[in-house]
Each structure stands twice: as structure tokens, then as C-alpha cells.
């Protein structure tokens, strides 16, 4: 089986739905997934990369794949893909819940708009954003360094030294 590289088209956020529609007209009629990537630490253009993976059938057993990507500025809405693919509704709800990206014109046929999908009722925050503080880190300090060279010598706990498989340890007696 030959693995082909998936081409990626970068489009302006204002052209998002037009680019999705054009790709569908090119034959990319199979919607696979849509998500976001947190790029809020980008100094030039902080925001979220919205990524959509679509495919088209070329020949028996052969699919062409395409990624469409746009940078959504912080706290700015983006047009919904639900008018192009109804299956995008679940993915947009998840992206809204996990990253806080708002989708204008979202329509999943229920009339209920963007609403929680995966997280429990009353959950506050956007857990896939880089700025989200993990509860485990808030209640207990992380024992290791975040970056190499960040910890002071001797400040992190040592680990038990492991012997290679098949090498007897001290419980087998003197060597």
C-alpha cells in the first residue's frame, strides 16, 4: 500500500465556507473530521487553526485526501460548515466545547444551537486550550521539569534504576 502525502490548503477565515464548498464541487464529497489546534502562543497571529479533512473517491480502493485549514483569531466566530456537510455539526459542537471556537450559522437540525456535547453539566472552561489549567497540576505540583534544564539539581525525585531483562538483581545473591 502506498501512503500519499495529504495536501493542505490554507484559506482566509472569511473564505472558509467558500473553500469548503469549492472543494465539495471538486468531488471532495466525503467529510471525515473537523477540529482545531490551539495556536494562541503564536506571536504574529494568535488564534486557532481550524482544520477540516475531506476525501473523494478516485478509483476502486483509492481515495484522494485534502486538508483545509484557516486561522481563526481569538474570540472571533467562524462560519459553520453545517451548510456544506451536515456531519460537521458534531465536530463543530466538540470544537466549540473543547476550544471555545464559535460557529456562526451552526445548524444541526434541532434548533438548539451550539451546546455541550462531551463534558458534564456545569463544567467551566475549555480543556483543550493551552491556557487551561489541569486539575491534577493545580492540586499537586508536577514532580518534573516542563523544559530541559528547568529543574534545579536534586529537586526532582530519583527513579529506581532498572536492570536489563534477564540480569539478576541483588535478591539472587552476590555476583
Amino acid at each position: 500500500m502506498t501512503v500519499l502525502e495529504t495536501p493542505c490548503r490554507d484559506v482566509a477565515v472569511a473564505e472558509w465556507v467558500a473553500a469548503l464548498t469549492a472543494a465539495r464541487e471538486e468531488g471532495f464529497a466525503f467529510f471525515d473530521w473537523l477540529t482545531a489546534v490551539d495556536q494562541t502562543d503564536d506571536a504574529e497571529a494568535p488564534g486557532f487553526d481550524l482544520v477540516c479533512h475531506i476525501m473523494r473517491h478516485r478509483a476502486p480502493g483509492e481515495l484522494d485526501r485534502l486538508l483545509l485549514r484557516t486561522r481563526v483569531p481569538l474570540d472571533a466566530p467562524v462560519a459553520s460548515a453545517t451548510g456544506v456537510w451536515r456531519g460537521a455539526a458534531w465536530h463543530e459542537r466538540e470544537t466549540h466545547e473543547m476550544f471555545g471556537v464559535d460557529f456562526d450559522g451552526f445548524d444541526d437540525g434541532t434548533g438548539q444551537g451550539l451546546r455541550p456535547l462531551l463534558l458534564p453539566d456545569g463544567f467551566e472552561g475549555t480543556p483543550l486550550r493551552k491556557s487551561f489549567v489541569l486539575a491534577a497540576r493545580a492540586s499537586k505540583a508536577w514532580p518534573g521539569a516542563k523544559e530541559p534544564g528547568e529543574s534545579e539539581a536534586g529537586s526532582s525525585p530519583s527513579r529506581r534504576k532498572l536492570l536489563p531483562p534477564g540480569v539478576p538483581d541483588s535478591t539472587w545473591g552476590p555476583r
Side-chain angles (χ1 to χ4, degrees):
M1 179 174 153
T2 305
V3 178
L4 302 175
E5 188 172 317
T6 303
C8 182
R9 294 181 190 167
D10 287 314
V11 299
V13 70
E15 306 291 322
W16 179 242
V17 172
L20 294 173
T21 303
R24 185 172 181 150
E25 291 169 358
E26 291 173 30
F28 288 94
F30 181 76
F31 171 85
D32 192 20
W33 51 262
L34 179 143
T35 191
V37 178
D38 187 338
Q39 300 291 351
T40 54
D41 56 354
D42 184 344
E44 294 178 21
F48 301 95
D49 282 348
L50 196 59
V51 184
C52 182
H53 183 253
I54 54 179
M55 296 182 278
R56 71 177 167 199
H57 185 260
R58 185 171 26 145
E62 295 181 19
L63 293 172
D64 287 332
R65 302 167 190 282
L66 177 64
L67 287 174
L68 286 124
R69 177 175 58 191
T70 189
R71 178 67 57 93
V72 180
L74 292 172
D75 301 322
V78 64
S80 174
T82 56
V84 183
W85 289 286
R86 299 295 279 181
W90 191 95
H91 300 264
E92 288 184 356
R93 283 178 62 194
E94 179 187 40
T95 303
H96 170 73
E97 186 173 34
M98 297 295 175
F99 291 95
V101 175
D102 287 324
F103 293 92
D104 278 346
F106 173 84
D107 180 19
D108 64 354
T110 65
Q112 297 178 1
L114 289 168
R115 60 197 182 282
L117 178 70
L118 301 171
L119 298 174
D121 290 337
F123 187 91
E124 292 185 21
T126 47
L128 292 184
R129 280 193 179 192
K130 291 177 182 176
S131 60
F132 186 78
V133 178
L134 298 173
R137 289 238 177 130
S139 63
K140 182 179 178 185
W142 186 252
K146 292 180 185 175
E147 299 292 331
E150 192 176 35
S151 65
E152 297 175 20
S155 65
S156 55
S158 63
R159 295 189 176 183
R160 183 175 58 123
K161 306 289 188 257
L162 298 177
L163 295 172
V167 176
D169 61 9
S170 60
T171 60
W172 286 71
R175 292 189 180 189

